[in-house]
Amino acid sequence: MLVLAVSYASSMRAWLHQRSEANSLRSQIVEREAAIEQLQQAKQRWKDPAYIRAQARLRFGWVMPGQIGYRVIGDNGQVLETQNRLLDPSTAPTSTPQWWQSTWDSIVTAGGVSPTKPAKPDVRGPATRIDRSGNAQTTPPSR
C-alpha cells in the first residue's frame, strides 16, 4: 500500500507541475495575442493620411503649406517640448477651487500691490494716431 501511495504521489506531483506550466503558457499566449492586436491596430493607423500628418506635426514639427509653425523657447534658450501629453496624475491639481473662492482670490490679488515691485507712476509719451486719410496725429497723453 505504501508503494502505491508513493507512486501516486509522484505522479500527482508531476501532473500538478505540468498543469501549472500549461496555465502559465496559456496566459503568455493571451498576453502575446493582445500585443499582436495592438500592433495590428497601430499598423492600420499608419494607413490613414490624417494620422501620418498628425505624427509628422508632433514628431518633426512640420506644418502644411500656408500654416505658420511656432516653437517656444525656454529661459535657457532651448526649445521646449511641444508634444501633446496628457497630464501626469502627479502634476494634475488635486482639487479645483470653487468659483467664489477663485473670484475672491482674484479680487484680493488685484487690489494689492506686490511688495517686491514698487508702484511706478504712469509716464507715457504722446500717442500717435492714424486718421482715415493716413496722416499721423500726435495727441498729448490723457491723465
Side-chain angles (χ1 to χ4, degrees), residues 17-83:
H17 177 69
Q18 288 176 353
R19 185 172 174 179
S20 68
E21 190 174 332
N23 286 338
S24 68
L25 291 173
R26 282 189 198 104
S27 66
Q28 286 179 3
I29 289 171
V30 169
E31 290 172 2
R32 290 186 179 160
E33 286 176 346
I36 289 171
E37 180 66 29
Q38 289 176 348
L39 290 172
Q40 287 174 342
Q41 289 175 356
K43 184 179 174 183
Q44 285 299 111
R45 280 190 298 236
W46 282 103
K47 292 181 180 179
D48 183 17
Y51 181 76
I52 293 172
R53 280 193 292 276
Q55 289 301 310
R57 184 181 308 252
L58 286 174
R59 294 180 184 199
F60 305 122
W62 291 0
V63 293
M64 296 298 290
Q67 293 179 338
I68 299 173
Y70 296 96
R71 294 199 186 255
V72 179
I73 299 180
D75 295 336
N76 60 359
Q78 299 295 322
V79 176
L80 297 177
E81 291 291 323
T82 58
Q83 295 180 355

Short mmCIF file of all heavy atoms in Angstrom, two decimals, residues 17-83:
data_model
loop_
_atom_site.label_atom_id
_atom_site.label_comp_id
_atom_site.label_asym_id
_atom_site.label_seq_id
_atom_site.Cartn_x
_atom_site.Cartn_y
_atom_site.Cartn_z
N HIS A 17 2.55 19.88 -11.63
CA HIS A 17 3.60 20.72 -12.23
C HIS A 17 3.28 21.01 -13.70
O HIS A 17 3.39 22.15 -14.16
CB HIS A 17 4.96 20.03 -12.09
CG HIS A 17 6.07 20.80 -12.73
ND1 HIS A 17 6.52 22.00 -12.24
CD2 HIS A 17 6.81 20.54 -13.85
CE1 HIS A 17 7.49 22.44 -13.02
NE2 HIS A 17 7.69 21.58 -14.01
N GLN A 18 2.88 20.00 -14.45
CA GLN A 18 2.53 20.18 -15.86
C GLN A 18 1.30 21.08 -16.01
O GLN A 18 1.23 21.89 -16.93
CB GLN A 18 2.28 18.82 -16.52
CG GLN A 18 3.53 18.01 -16.74
CD GLN A 18 3.23 16.63 -17.31
OE1 GLN A 18 2.07 16.24 -17.43
NE2 GLN A 18 4.29 15.89 -17.64
N ARG A 19 0.37 20.94 -15.11
CA ARG A 19 -0.84 21.77 -15.18
C ARG A 19 -0.52 23.24 -14.93
O ARG A 19 -1.01 24.11 -15.62
CB ARG A 19 -1.86 21.26 -14.15
CG ARG A 19 -3.16 21.98 -14.23
CD ARG A 19 -4.18 21.34 -13.35
NE ARG A 19 -5.38 22.16 -13.37
CZ ARG A 19 -6.46 21.87 -12.72
NH1 ARG A 19 -6.53 20.77 -12.01
NH2 ARG A 19 -7.49 22.66 -12.77
N SER A 20 0.33 23.53 -13.94
CA SER A 20 0.70 24.93 -13.67
C SER A 20 1.51 25.50 -14.83
O SER A 20 1.35 26.67 -15.20
CB SER A 20 1.47 25.04 -12.36
OG SER A 20 2.73 24.41 -12.49
N GLU A 21 2.37 24.68 -15.44
CA GLU A 21 3.15 25.14 -16.58
C GLU A 21 2.23 25.43 -17.78
O GLU A 21 2.41 26.44 -18.48
CB GLU A 21 4.20 24.09 -16.95
CG GLU A 21 5.19 24.58 -17.98
CD GLU A 21 6.30 23.58 -18.22
OE1 GLU A 21 6.62 22.80 -17.30
OE2 GLU A 21 6.83 23.58 -19.34
N ALA A 22 1.24 24.58 -18.00
CA ALA A 22 0.29 24.79 -19.09
C ALA A 22 -0.52 26.07 -18.86
O ALA A 22 -0.77 26.84 -19.80
CB ALA A 22 -0.64 23.59 -19.23
N ASN A 23 -0.91 26.34 -17.62
CA ASN A 23 -1.65 27.57 -17.31
C ASN A 23 -0.80 28.81 -17.56
O ASN A 23 -1.28 29.81 -18.09
CB ASN A 23 -2.15 27.54 -15.86
CG ASN A 23 -3.31 26.59 -15.67
OD1 ASN A 23 -4.02 26.26 -16.62
ND2 ASN A 23 -3.50 26.13 -14.44
N SER A 24 0.47 28.75 -17.17
CA SER A 24 1.33 29.92 -17.40
C SER A 24 1.55 30.13 -18.90
O SER A 24 1.59 31.28 -19.38
CB SER A 24 2.66 29.76 -16.67
OG SER A 24 3.43 28.73 -17.25
N LEU A 25 1.68 29.05 -19.67
CA LEU A 25 1.83 29.19 -21.12
C LEU A 25 0.56 29.76 -21.76
O LEU A 25 0.64 30.57 -22.68
CB LEU A 25 2.20 27.84 -21.74
CG LEU A 25 3.59 27.33 -21.41
CD1 LEU A 25 3.79 25.92 -21.96
CD2 LEU A 25 4.64 28.27 -21.95
N ARG A 26 -0.60 29.38 -21.26
CA ARG A 26 -1.87 29.93 -21.77
C ARG A 26 -1.95 31.44 -21.51
O ARG A 26 -2.38 32.20 -22.36
CB ARG A 26 -3.06 29.22 -21.13
CG ARG A 26 -3.36 27.89 -21.72
CD ARG A 26 -4.69 27.32 -21.20
NE ARG A 26 -4.75 25.90 -21.46
CZ ARG A 26 -4.58 24.95 -20.55
NH1 ARG A 26 -4.35 25.27 -19.29
NH2 ARG A 26 -4.63 23.69 -20.88
N SER A 27 -1.52 31.85 -20.32
CA SER A 27 -1.56 33.29 -20.01
C SER A 27 -0.56 34.05 -20.89
O SER A 27 -0.86 35.17 -21.33
CB SER A 27 -1.27 33.53 -18.53
OG SER A 27 0.05 33.18 -18.21
N GLN A 28 0.59 33.46 -21.20
CA GLN A 28 1.54 34.10 -22.11
C GLN A 28 0.95 34.22 -23.51
O GLN A 28 1.15 35.24 -24.18
CB GLN A 28 2.84 33.30 -22.16
CG GLN A 28 3.71 33.42 -20.95
CD GLN A 28 4.98 32.59 -21.08
OE1 GLN A 28 5.22 31.96 -22.10
NE2 GLN A 28 5.78 32.59 -20.01
N ILE A 29 0.22 33.21 -23.93
CA ILE A 29 -0.41 33.25 -25.25
C ILE A 29 -1.42 34.38 -25.31
O ILE A 29 -1.47 35.15 -26.29
CB ILE A 29 -1.05 31.89 -25.59
CG1 ILE A 29 0.03 30.85 -25.85
CG2 ILE A 29 -1.99 32.01 -26.79
CD1 ILE A 29 -0.50 29.43 -25.98
N VAL A 30 -2.23 34.53 -24.27
CA VAL A 30 -3.24 35.60 -24.23
C VAL A 30 -2.56 36.97 -24.27
O VAL A 30 -2.99 37.86 -25.00
CB VAL A 30 -4.13 35.45 -22.97
CG1 VAL A 30 -4.99 36.67 -22.76
CG2 VAL A 30 -4.99 34.20 -23.09
N GLU A 31 -1.49 37.15 -23.50
CA GLU A 31 -0.77 38.42 -23.49
C GLU A 31 -0.17 38.74 -24.86
O GLU A 31 -0.25 39.87 -25.35
CB GLU A 31 0.35 38.40 -22.45
CG GLU A 31 -0.13 38.40 -21.03
CD GLU A 31 1.00 38.19 -20.03
OE1 GLU A 31 2.16 38.08 -20.46
OE2 GLU A 31 0.70 38.11 -18.83
N ARG A 32 0.41 37.75 -25.50
CA ARG A 32 1.03 37.99 -26.80
C ARG A 32 -0.01 38.24 -27.89
O ARG A 32 0.23 39.03 -28.80
CB ARG A 32 1.94 36.82 -27.15
CG ARG A 32 3.15 36.83 -26.24
CD ARG A 32 4.17 35.83 -26.59
NE ARG A 32 5.29 35.97 -25.65
CZ ARG A 32 6.17 35.05 -25.43
NH1 ARG A 32 6.11 33.90 -26.08
NH2 ARG A 32 7.15 35.27 -24.58
N GLU A 33 -1.17 37.58 -27.80
CA GLU A 33 -2.24 37.87 -28.76
C GLU A 33 -2.75 39.29 -28.61
O GLU A 33 -3.04 39.96 -29.59
CB GLU A 33 -3.39 36.87 -28.60
CG GLU A 33 -3.07 35.49 -29.14
CD GLU A 33 -4.18 34.48 -28.89
OE1 GLU A 33 -5.08 34.76 -28.07
OE2 GLU A 33 -4.13 33.40 -29.52
N ALA A 34 -2.82 39.78 -27.36
CA ALA A 34 -3.23 41.17 -27.13
C ALA A 34 -2.19 42.12 -27.71
O ALA A 34 -2.54 43.14 -28.32
CB ALA A 34 -3.43 41.42 -25.64
N ALA A 35 -0.91 41.80 -27.53
CA ALA A 35 0.15 42.65 -28.09
C ALA A 35 0.10 42.66 -29.62
O ALA A 35 0.28 43.70 -30.25
CB ALA A 35 1.51 42.17 -27.60
N ILE A 36 -0.17 41.50 -30.21
CA ILE A 36 -0.29 41.42 -31.67
C ILE A 36 -1.46 42.27 -32.14
O ILE A 36 -1.35 43.00 -33.14
CB ILE A 36 -0.45 39.96 -32.12
CG1 ILE A 36 0.87 39.21 -31.92
CG2 ILE A 36 -0.90 39.87 -33.57
CD1 ILE A 36 0.76 37.71 -32.12
N GLU A 37 -2.57 42.23 -31.44
CA GLU A 37 -3.74 43.04 -31.80
C GLU A 37 -3.42 44.53 -31.74
O GLU A 37 -3.80 45.31 -32.62
CB GLU A 37 -4.91 42.70 -30.87
CG GLU A 37 -6.17 43.48 -31.15
CD GLU A 37 -6.78 43.13 -32.49
OE1 GLU A 37 -6.62 41.99 -32.96
OE2 GLU A 37 -7.43 44.02 -33.08
N GLN A 38 -2.70 44.95 -30.70
CA GLN A 38 -2.32 46.36 -30.60
C GLN A 38 -1.39 46.76 -31.74
O GLN A 38 -1.53 47.85 -32.30
CB GLN A 38 -1.63 46.62 -29.26
CG GLN A 38 -2.56 46.57 -28.08
CD GLN A 38 -1.81 46.74 -26.76
OE1 GLN A 38 -0.59 46.68 -26.72
NE2 GLN A 38 -2.56 46.94 -25.70
N LEU A 39 -0.46 45.91 -32.10
CA LEU A 39 0.44 46.22 -33.21
C LEU A 39 -0.31 46.29 -34.53
O LEU A 39 0.00 47.14 -35.38
CB LEU A 39 1.56 45.19 -33.27
CG LEU A 39 2.58 45.24 -32.14
CD1 LEU A 39 3.51 44.04 -32.20
CD2 LEU A 39 3.36 46.54 -32.18
N GLN A 40 -1.29 45.43 -34.72
CA GLN A 40 -2.08 45.48 -35.95
C GLN A 40 -2.90 46.76 -36.02
O GLN A 40 -3.04 47.36 -37.09
CB GLN A 40 -2.98 44.25 -36.05
CG GLN A 40 -2.24 42.98 -36.38
CD GLN A 40 -3.11 41.75 -36.32
OE1 GLN A 40 -4.19 41.74 -35.73
NE2 GLN A 40 -2.63 40.67 -36.95
N GLN A 41 -3.43 47.21 -34.88
CA GLN A 41 -4.16 48.47 -34.86
C GLN A 41 -3.23 49.64 -35.17
O GLN A 41 -3.61 50.56 -35.90
CB GLN A 41 -4.84 48.68 -33.50
CG GLN A 41 -6.00 47.76 -33.27
CD GLN A 41 -6.57 47.90 -31.87
OE1 GLN A 41 -6.05 48.64 -31.04
NE2 GLN A 41 -7.64 47.17 -31.60
N ALA A 42 -2.02 49.60 -34.64
CA ALA A 42 -1.05 50.66 -34.93
C ALA A 42 -0.69 50.66 -36.41
O ALA A 42 -0.56 51.72 -37.03
CB ALA A 42 0.21 50.47 -34.07
N LYS A 43 -0.57 49.49 -36.99
CA LYS A 43 -0.28 49.38 -38.42
C LYS A 43 -1.42 49.96 -39.25
O LYS A 43 -1.18 50.65 -40.24
CB LYS A 43 -0.05 47.91 -38.77
CG LYS A 43 0.36 47.67 -40.19
CD LYS A 43 0.58 46.17 -40.43
CE LYS A 43 0.84 45.88 -41.88
NZ LYS A 43 0.99 44.44 -42.12
N GLN A 44 -2.65 49.71 -38.84
CA GLN A 44 -3.80 50.26 -39.56
C GLN A 44 -3.83 51.78 -39.47
O GLN A 44 -4.19 52.46 -40.42
CB GLN A 44 -5.11 49.69 -39.00
CG GLN A 44 -5.39 48.27 -39.41
CD GLN A 44 -5.51 48.14 -40.91
OE1 GLN A 44 -4.66 47.55 -41.54
NE2 GLN A 44 -6.55 48.70 -41.48
N ARG A 45 -3.45 52.34 -38.31
CA ARG A 45 -3.44 53.80 -38.15
C ARG A 45 -2.48 54.44 -39.13
O ARG A 45 -2.73 55.53 -39.63
CB ARG A 45 -3.06 54.18 -36.72
CG ARG A 45 -4.21 54.08 -35.75
CD ARG A 45 -3.81 54.71 -34.46
NE ARG A 45 -2.68 53.97 -33.90
CZ ARG A 45 -2.65 53.42 -32.71
NH1 ARG A 45 -3.66 53.55 -31.92
NH2 ARG A 45 -1.60 52.76 -32.30
N TRP A 46 -1.36 53.79 -39.41
CA TRP A 46 -0.37 54.37 -40.32
C TRP A 46 -0.84 54.39 -41.76
O TRP A 46 -0.23 55.01 -42.61
CB TRP A 46 0.97 53.64 -40.21
CG TRP A 46 1.71 54.07 -38.99
CD1 TRP A 46 1.84 53.39 -37.83
CD2 TRP A 46 2.41 55.30 -38.81
NE1 TRP A 46 2.57 54.11 -36.93
CE2 TRP A 46 2.94 55.29 -37.51
CE3 TRP A 46 2.64 56.41 -39.61
CZ2 TRP A 46 3.68 56.34 -36.99
CZ3 TRP A 46 3.38 57.45 -39.09
CH2 TRP A 46 3.88 57.41 -37.81
N LYS A 47 -1.95 53.73 -42.06
CA LYS A 47 -2.51 53.78 -43.41
C LYS A 47 -3.40 55.00 -43.60
O LYS A 47 -3.81 55.28 -44.71
CB LYS A 47 -3.30 52.50 -43.69
CG LYS A 47 -2.41 51.27 -43.79
CD LYS A 47 -3.20 50.04 -44.09
CE LYS A 47 -2.28 48.82 -44.18
NZ LYS A 47 -3.02 47.60 -44.45
N ASP A 48 -3.72 55.71 -42.52
CA ASP A 48 -4.57 56.89 -42.58
C ASP A 48 -3.71 58.13 -42.81
O ASP A 48 -2.82 58.43 -42.02
CB ASP A 48 -5.34 57.02 -41.26
CG ASP A 48 -6.31 58.18 -41.25
OD1 ASP A 48 -6.63 58.70 -42.34
OD2 ASP A 48 -6.76 58.55 -40.16
N PRO A 49 -3.95 58.89 -43.91
CA PRO A 49 -3.14 60.08 -44.18
C PRO A 49 -3.24 61.14 -43.09
O PRO A 49 -2.27 61.83 -42.81
CB PRO A 49 -3.69 60.61 -45.51
CG PRO A 49 -4.44 59.48 -46.11
CD PRO A 49 -4.89 58.61 -45.00
N ALA A 50 -4.39 61.27 -42.46
CA ALA A 50 -4.54 62.26 -41.39
C ALA A 50 -3.65 61.90 -40.20
O ALA A 50 -3.06 62.79 -39.56
CB ALA A 50 -6.00 62.35 -40.96
N TYR A 51 -3.54 60.62 -39.89
CA TYR A 51 -2.69 60.19 -38.79
C TYR A 51 -1.22 60.46 -39.12
O TYR A 51 -0.46 60.90 -38.27
CB TYR A 51 -2.91 58.70 -38.49
CG TYR A 51 -2.09 58.18 -37.35
CD1 TYR A 51 -2.44 58.46 -36.04
CD2 TYR A 51 -0.96 57.40 -37.57
CE1 TYR A 51 -1.68 57.99 -34.98
CE2 TYR A 51 -0.20 56.92 -36.53
CZ TYR A 51 -0.57 57.21 -35.24
OH TYR A 51 0.18 56.75 -34.19
N ILE A 52 -0.85 60.23 -40.36
CA ILE A 52 0.54 60.48 -40.78
C ILE A 52 0.86 61.96 -40.67
O ILE A 52 1.93 62.34 -40.18
CB ILE A 52 0.77 59.96 -42.21
CG1 ILE A 52 0.68 58.44 -42.22
CG2 ILE A 52 2.12 60.41 -42.74
CD1 ILE A 52 0.69 57.83 -43.60
N ARG A 53 -0.07 62.83 -41.09
CA ARG A 53 0.15 64.27 -40.96
C ARG A 53 0.27 64.68 -39.49
O ARG A 53 1.13 65.49 -39.14
CB ARG A 53 -0.99 65.04 -41.63
CG ARG A 53 -0.85 65.13 -43.13
CD ARG A 53 -1.80 66.16 -43.72
NE ARG A 53 -3.20 65.80 -43.62
CZ ARG A 53 -3.85 65.01 -44.48
NH1 ARG A 53 -3.22 64.52 -45.52
NH2 ARG A 53 -5.11 64.73 -44.32
N ALA A 54 -0.58 64.11 -38.65
CA ALA A 54 -0.52 64.44 -37.22
C ALA A 54 0.80 64.00 -36.61
O ALA A 54 1.40 64.72 -35.81
CB ALA A 54 -1.70 63.79 -36.49
N GLN A 55 1.28 62.82 -37.00
CA GLN A 55 2.56 62.35 -36.47
C GLN A 55 3.72 63.20 -36.97
O GLN A 55 4.65 63.48 -36.23
CB GLN A 55 2.78 60.88 -36.85
CG GLN A 55 1.87 59.92 -36.12
CD GLN A 55 2.04 60.01 -34.62
OE1 GLN A 55 3.15 59.97 -34.10
NE2 GLN A 55 0.95 60.14 -33.91
N ALA A 56 3.66 63.63 -38.23
CA ALA A 56 4.71 64.50 -38.76
C ALA A 56 4.71 65.83 -38.03
O ALA A 56 5.77 66.39 -37.73
CB ALA A 56 4.50 64.72 -40.26
N ARG A 57 3.54 66.33 -37.70
CA ARG A 57 3.44 67.59 -36.96
C ARG A 57 4.00 67.42 -35.56
O ARG A 57 4.77 68.26 -35.09
CB ARG A 57 1.98 68.01 -36.90
CG ARG A 57 1.74 69.33 -36.24
CD ARG A 57 0.26 69.63 -36.21
NE ARG A 57 -0.32 69.50 -37.52
CZ ARG A 57 -0.72 70.50 -38.28
NH1 ARG A 57 -0.63 71.71 -37.82
NH2 ARG A 57 -1.22 70.29 -39.47
N LEU A 58 3.65 66.33 -34.88
CA LEU A 58 4.10 66.13 -33.49
C LEU A 58 5.58 65.77 -33.41
O LEU A 58 6.31 66.31 -32.59
CB LEU A 58 3.29 65.01 -32.84
CG LEU A 58 1.87 65.35 -32.45
CD1 LEU A 58 1.14 64.12 -31.96
CD2 LEU A 58 1.84 66.42 -31.40
N ARG A 59 6.02 64.86 -34.25
CA ARG A 59 7.39 64.35 -34.12
C ARG A 59 8.44 65.26 -34.74
O ARG A 59 9.53 65.38 -34.22
CB ARG A 59 7.49 62.97 -34.76
CG ARG A 59 6.68 61.92 -34.02
CD ARG A 59 6.83 60.59 -34.67
NE ARG A 59 5.98 59.60 -34.02
CZ ARG A 59 6.18 58.31 -34.15
NH1 ARG A 59 7.14 57.84 -34.88
NH2 ARG A 59 5.38 57.47 -33.52
N PHE A 60 8.11 65.87 -35.89
CA PHE A 60 9.11 66.63 -36.61
C PHE A 60 8.84 68.13 -36.61
O PHE A 60 9.66 68.90 -37.08
CB PHE A 60 9.20 66.16 -38.06
CG PHE A 60 9.45 64.68 -38.19
CD1 PHE A 60 8.56 63.87 -38.87
CD2 PHE A 60 10.56 64.09 -37.61
CE1 PHE A 60 8.79 62.52 -38.99
CE2 PHE A 60 10.78 62.73 -37.73
CZ PHE A 60 9.89 61.94 -38.42
N GLY A 61 7.65 68.55 -36.15
CA GLY A 61 7.32 69.97 -36.14
C GLY A 61 6.95 70.49 -37.53
O GLY A 61 7.02 71.68 -37.76
N TRP A 62 6.57 69.62 -38.44
CA TRP A 62 6.22 70.03 -39.79
C TRP A 62 4.86 70.70 -39.79
O TRP A 62 4.00 70.41 -38.98
CB TRP A 62 6.18 68.84 -40.73
CG TRP A 62 7.53 68.24 -40.98
CD1 TRP A 62 8.73 68.64 -40.48
CD2 TRP A 62 7.80 67.10 -41.79
NE1 TRP A 62 9.73 67.84 -40.93
CE2 TRP A 62 9.20 66.88 -41.74
CE3 TRP A 62 7.03 66.26 -42.54
CZ2 TRP A 62 9.81 65.86 -42.42
CZ3 TRP A 62 7.65 65.23 -43.23
CH2 TRP A 62 9.02 65.04 -43.17
N VAL A 63 4.67 71.62 -40.72
CA VAL A 63 3.39 72.28 -40.92
C VAL A 63 3.01 72.19 -42.39
O VAL A 63 3.86 71.99 -43.25
CB VAL A 63 3.43 73.76 -40.47
CG1 VAL A 63 3.62 73.87 -38.98
CG2 VAL A 63 4.49 74.53 -41.20
N MET A 64 1.75 72.34 -42.66
CA MET A 64 1.26 72.31 -44.04
C MET A 64 1.57 73.64 -44.71
O MET A 64 1.73 74.66 -44.03
CB MET A 64 -0.25 72.05 -44.05
CG MET A 64 -0.64 70.70 -43.49
SD MET A 64 0.04 69.32 -44.41
CE MET A 64 -0.89 69.43 -45.92
N PRO A 65 1.66 73.67 -46.04
CA PRO A 65 1.90 74.93 -46.74
C PRO A 65 0.81 75.95 -46.39
O PRO A 65 -0.36 75.63 -46.35
CB PRO A 65 1.83 74.54 -48.21
CG PRO A 65 2.14 73.08 -48.24
CD PRO A 65 1.60 72.53 -46.95
N GLY A 66 1.25 77.16 -46.09
CA GLY A 66 0.32 78.22 -45.70
C GLY A 66 0.16 78.37 -44.19
O GLY A 66 -0.37 79.36 -43.72
N GLN A 67 0.57 77.37 -43.43
CA GLN A 67 0.48 77.45 -41.98
C GLN A 67 1.78 78.03 -41.43
O GLN A 67 2.82 78.01 -42.08
CB GLN A 67 0.24 76.09 -41.36
CG GLN A 67 -1.10 75.49 -41.67
CD GLN A 67 -1.27 74.12 -41.04
OE1 GLN A 67 -0.30 73.44 -40.72
NE2 GLN A 67 -2.51 73.72 -40.87
N ILE A 68 1.71 78.53 -40.21
CA ILE A 68 2.89 79.10 -39.56
C ILE A 68 3.20 78.23 -38.34
O ILE A 68 2.33 77.99 -37.51
CB ILE A 68 2.64 80.56 -39.13
CG1 ILE A 68 2.35 81.41 -40.35
CG2 ILE A 68 3.84 81.09 -38.36
CD1 ILE A 68 1.94 82.82 -40.03
N GLY A 69 4.43 77.78 -38.25
CA GLY A 69 4.84 76.97 -37.12
C GLY A 69 5.53 77.84 -36.07
O GLY A 69 6.25 78.77 -36.40
N TYR A 70 5.29 77.52 -34.82
CA TYR A 70 5.89 78.26 -33.71
C TYR A 70 6.65 77.29 -32.82
O TYR A 70 6.26 76.16 -32.65
CB TYR A 70 4.82 78.95 -32.87
CG TYR A 70 4.06 80.00 -33.61
CD1 TYR A 70 2.85 79.72 -34.21
CD2 TYR A 70 4.56 81.29 -33.71
CE1 TYR A 70 2.16 80.68 -34.91
CE2 TYR A 70 3.86 82.26 -34.39
CZ TYR A 70 2.66 81.95 -35.00
OH TYR A 70 1.99 82.91 -35.69
N ARG A 71 7.75 77.76 -32.26
CA ARG A 71 8.50 76.99 -31.27
C ARG A 71 8.64 77.86 -30.03
O ARG A 71 8.98 79.03 -30.13
CB ARG A 71 9.87 76.62 -31.78
CG ARG A 71 9.80 75.67 -32.94
CD ARG A 71 11.12 75.00 -33.13
NE ARG A 71 11.07 74.20 -34.32
CZ ARG A 71 10.97 72.88 -34.29
NH1 ARG A 71 10.91 72.25 -33.17
NH2 ARG A 71 10.92 72.20 -35.41
N VAL A 72 8.39 77.28 -28.88
CA VAL A 72 8.50 78.00 -27.62
C VAL A 72 9.89 77.76 -27.07
O VAL A 72 10.34 76.62 -26.94
CB VAL A 72 7.43 77.52 -26.62
CG1 VAL A 72 7.56 78.26 -25.31
CG2 VAL A 72 6.04 77.72 -27.22
N ILE A 73 10.59 78.85 -26.77
CA ILE A 73 11.95 78.76 -26.26
C ILE A 73 11.94 79.11 -24.78
O ILE A 73 11.36 80.12 -24.37
CB ILE A 73 12.88 79.70 -27.05
CG1 ILE A 73 12.87 79.27 -28.52
CG2 ILE A 73 14.27 79.71 -26.47
CD1 ILE A 73 13.72 80.09 -29.42
N GLY A 74 12.60 78.28 -23.98
CA GLY A 74 12.64 78.48 -22.54
C GLY A 74 13.67 79.52 -22.14
O GLY A 74 14.34 80.15 -22.96
N ASP A 75 13.80 79.71 -20.83
CA ASP A 75 14.75 80.68 -20.29
C ASP A 75 16.20 80.36 -20.66
O ASP A 75 17.02 81.25 -20.80
CB ASP A 75 14.64 80.74 -18.76
CG ASP A 75 13.28 81.27 -18.31
OD1 ASP A 75 12.66 81.99 -19.10
OD2 ASP A 75 12.88 80.96 -17.18
N ASN A 76 16.50 79.08 -20.83
CA ASN A 76 17.86 78.69 -21.15
C ASN A 76 18.16 78.75 -22.64
O ASN A 76 19.26 78.41 -23.06
CB ASN A 76 18.15 77.28 -20.62
CG ASN A 76 17.21 76.26 -21.22
OD1 ASN A 76 16.34 76.57 -22.03
ND2 ASN A 76 17.38 75.02 -20.82
N GLY A 77 17.20 79.15 -23.46
CA GLY A 77 17.40 79.27 -24.89
C GLY A 77 17.13 77.99 -25.66
O GLY A 77 17.27 77.96 -26.87
N GLN A 78 16.76 76.93 -24.97
CA GLN A 78 16.46 75.66 -25.62
C GLN A 78 14.98 75.60 -25.98
O GLN A 78 14.13 76.16 -25.28
CB GLN A 78 16.81 74.49 -24.70
CG GLN A 78 18.27 74.43 -24.31
CD GLN A 78 19.15 74.16 -25.52
OE1 GLN A 78 18.80 73.39 -26.39
NE2 GLN A 78 20.31 74.82 -25.57
N VAL A 79 14.67 74.88 -27.06
CA VAL A 79 13.28 74.71 -27.47
C VAL A 79 12.59 73.79 -26.48
O VAL A 79 13.09 72.72 -26.14
CB VAL A 79 13.21 74.11 -28.90
CG1 VAL A 79 11.78 73.85 -29.29
CG2 VAL A 79 13.87 75.05 -29.89
N LEU A 80 11.42 74.23 -26.00
CA LEU A 80 10.66 73.42 -25.06
C LEU A 80 9.93 72.32 -25.81
O LEU A 80 9.64 72.45 -26.99
CB LEU A 80 9.66 74.28 -24.30
CG LEU A 80 10.26 75.38 -23.43
CD1 LEU A 80 9.14 76.19 -22.80
CD2 LEU A 80 11.13 74.78 -22.35
N GLU A 81 9.62 71.25 -25.13
CA GLU A 81 8.88 70.14 -25.73
C GLU A 81 7.50 70.64 -26.14
O GLU A 81 6.83 71.33 -25.38
CB GLU A 81 8.72 69.00 -24.73
CG GLU A 81 10.00 68.29 -24.41
CD GLU A 81 10.52 67.49 -25.59
OE1 GLU A 81 9.72 66.91 -26.32
OE2 GLU A 81 11.75 67.47 -25.77
N THR A 82 7.08 70.27 -27.33
CA THR A 82 5.77 70.71 -27.83
C THR A 82 4.83 69.56 -28.07
O THR A 82 3.78 69.74 -28.63
CB THR A 82 5.94 71.49 -29.15
OG1 THR A 82 6.59 70.64 -30.09
CG2 THR A 82 6.73 72.76 -28.94
N GLN A 83 5.21 68.36 -27.65
CA GLN A 83 4.34 67.22 -27.87
C GLN A 83 3.14 67.31 -26.94
O GLN A 83 3.24 67.74 -25.80
CB GLN A 83 5.06 65.91 -27.61
CG GLN A 83 6.18 65.68 -28.60
CD GLN A 83 6.88 64.37 -28.32
OE1 GLN A 83 6.58 63.70 -27.35
NE2 GLN A 83 7.82 64.02 -29.16
#
